[in-house]
Amino acid sequence: MDFGGGDQIRFERLGKAGVVTLTRPGALNALTHQMVKALSAALTAWENDPDIAVVIVKAEGRAFCAGGDVVETYRVWERGGRLTQFFADEYRLNVQIDRFRKPYVSLIDGICMGGGMGISMHGSHRVATENAVFAMPEVGIGFFPDVGGSYVLPNLGGSVGMYLGLTGNRVGQGDALWSGIATHTILSAYVPALVEEIADSGDPGTELREFFKNVPRKATDAQVQAIAKHFSRGSLPEIIASLERATPADEFAAETLAIIRTRSPTSLYVTFRALTAGSTMSLPDCMRMEFRILNRMLESHDLYEGIRAALIDKGSKPDWRPSTLADISESDIDAYFAPLPNGELEL
C-alpha cells in the first residue's frame, strides 16, 4: 500500500490490521516530513475502511523512533529557512492519532524519544519491550518537550512528567509501565506473534492480556519520593532550591541537579511553564500553545546551538544564551507563549 512514504515508511494490510513500519533504521527511524504526511494519509484512509479494525505501528532496527529529524532542522536553518510546516503537520498528526476512532497500537522495541513519543503516546495502546527506552530530551538541545509533551507529561502523576521534562532523563520498560508512558509490557521475542494475533482478531485488548508480562519498577521508593518532593514545587527556582538543599545528603538529588544545570536555561523556563499550563488544557489547546513556542524557538539561538553541540560537533559544550537562569526575565518567557501574529495552528 502506498501513501507516499517512499522507502522511509511502509504500509501493509494484514488480516484486520493496517500495519505501519518505520523503515529508516540507519537514522534511528527519525521522522521526516514525508513520513508524517504519509502516516496521516494512511490513518485518514484506514479510519473509514470497514475492513481495518486496528492500526499497528512498529519499526525496523534498534529504535522505534528517536524523534524528529533535528539535523535537517539545522541544515535548513543554515540555508536561511525554517521547518515550520514540518512541525505544523507533525502536531496535526499527533492530534489525529489522539482522535483516531480505532485501536492504535505502538510496538516499542527500542529507543522512543521526542517525535517517537508523539506518534505513540497519543494512541490507545503503548506496548514496551525490555529493549524500550523512553525520553523527552529536548531541553538538552535548547528545545522543549513538544509533540504533545505539555499534555502527556503533566498527566503522568507524582511529578514524574516535570522531572522527565526538566532533565531529559531516560526510563526503561518497568518505569514506563509504572508511570503510564506504556500501557502494556511484553517480551521482545513475542512481538511477531503479537502482530499476527492482533491482525487475526482485530482485538488488541484481548491479545495483550495474553502476552502481557508484568515488569517491576526500577526507580526506588526513595527516588520516587524525591521526585514528588522536589518537582512538585510551584516555580523553577523553587525546584532548583529544593534540589540544592537536598544535595549534601542525597546522591539522587545531586545527580539530578547536575543534569539540569547542563540544560538550556531558556528551555528549562519554557518547559516548566508549558507543563504547568498543559496540566489543565486539552491536547488541541496544548498543541496550539506548543506551536507558539515552536515558532519562537525556530528564531532562537539555543535550539541551533544545542543541535550543533549534540549532533553536528558531537560532544562539544553548548554556549547557551542567556547562560544562567538569573539572566532570564519573566517577560522573556512570556514572549514564547504570546499569540502568533499570523494566526494560530489550525487543527
Side-chain angles (χ1 to χ4, degrees), residues 199-221:
D200 182 58
S201 69
D203 182 3
T206 297
E207 306 307 337
L208 282 164
R209 282 193 292 273
E210 295 294 325
F211 284 85
F212 178 76
K213 176 180 173 57
N214 194 29
V215 180
R217 186 188 71 202
K218 185 176 179 181
T220 66
D221 289 344

Side-chain angles (χ1 to χ4, degrees), residues 7-304:
D7 62 357
Q8 300 178 357
I9 182 170
R10 185 171 66 248
F11 302 93
E12 304 166 277
R13 186 189 298 268
L14 180 63
K16 298 177 182 178
V19 181
V20 181
T21 307
L22 309 185
T23 55
R24 298 185 72 212
L28 300 181
N29 294 310
L31 290 178
T32 65
H33 202 173
Q34 183 177 2
M35 294 165 74
V36 166
K37 291 190 289 186
L39 179 53
S40 178
L43 293 180
T44 298
W46 287 345
E47 188 165 33
N48 298 307
D49 186 337
D51 294 327
I52 296 292
V54 57
V55 168
I56 300 170
V57 184
K58 58 188 182 68
E60 294 179 350
R62 65 187 184 91
F64 174 75
C65 173
D69 195 343
V70 293
V71 172
E72 179 63 13
T73 301
Y74 186 88
R75 298 304 185 198
V76 169
W77 168 75
E78 284 187 312
R79 300 193 295 268
R82 302 291 184 271
L83 279 181
T84 309
Q85 192 58 50
F86 163 75
F87 286 98
D89 288 339
E90 184 182 24
Y91 292 3
R92 291 188 186 103
L93 174 62
N94 300 149
V95 174
Q96 183 180 9
I97 293 169
D98 179 69
R99 291 172 174 169
F100 194 66
R101 297 192 303 269
K102 298 176 180 180
Y104 179 103
V105 182
S106 299
L107 299 179
I108 302 160
D109 189 30
I111 299 166
C112 181
M113 299 182 183
M117 297 282 277
I119 63 168
S120 58
M121 281 299 296
H122 305 299
S124 58
H125 298 75
R126 304 175 297 277
V127 184
T129 76
E130 69 276 16
N131 300 319
V133 177
F134 298 87
M136 294 294 281
E138 290 81 2
V139 289
I141 59 166
F143 199 46
F144 73 106
D146 66 333
V147 296
S150 62
Y151 178 76
V152 170
L153 293 179
N155 287 315
L156 296 183
S159 298
V160 170
M162 186 65 77
Y163 163 75
L164 294 176
L166 293 179
T167 62
N169 283 356
R170 304 178 178 191
V171 295
Q173 185 187 29
D175 293 278
L177 180 65
W178 162 75
S179 67
I181 293 173
T183 59
H184 299 80
T185 46
I186 68 168
L187 291 173
S188 175
Y190 294 150
V191 167
L194 177 62
V195 171
E196 290 186 8
E197 293 294 330
I198 292 175
D200 182 58
S201 69
D203 182 3
T206 297
E207 306 307 337
L208 282 164
R209 282 193 292 273
E210 295 294 325
F211 284 85
F212 178 76
K213 176 180 173 57
N214 194 29
V215 180
R217 186 188 71 202
K218 185 176 179 181
T220 66
D221 289 344
Q223 289 171 341
V224 169
Q225 292 165 9
I227 289 169
K229 174 184 177 182
H230 301 305
F231 288 87
S232 61
R233 305 290 177 169
S235 71
L236 180 61
E238 288 179 61
I239 291 174
I240 301 297
S242 182
L243 288 167
E244 287 175 339
R245 288 192 297 271
T247 287
D250 186 341
E251 183 180 355
F252 177 77
E255 291 175 353
T256 301
L257 182 61
I259 290 169
I260 289 176
R261 283 176 168 161
T262 68
R263 306 318 193 191
S264 159
T266 299
S267 292
L268 291 172
Y269 263 118
V270 168
T271 296
F272 178 85
R273 184 178 296 189
L275 299 192
T276 302
S279 66
T280 61
M281 294 165 63
S282 67
L283 177 61
D285 285 342
C286 281
M287 300 312 306
R288 294 185 186 97
M289 174 181 68
E290 291 183 11
F291 193 64
R292 290 180 178 183
I293 301 169
L294 173 276
N295 273 268
R296 278 57 187 243
M297 290 274 182
L298 289 178
E299 300 298 329
S300 72
H301 165 271
D302 277 8
L303 172 58
Y304 303 106

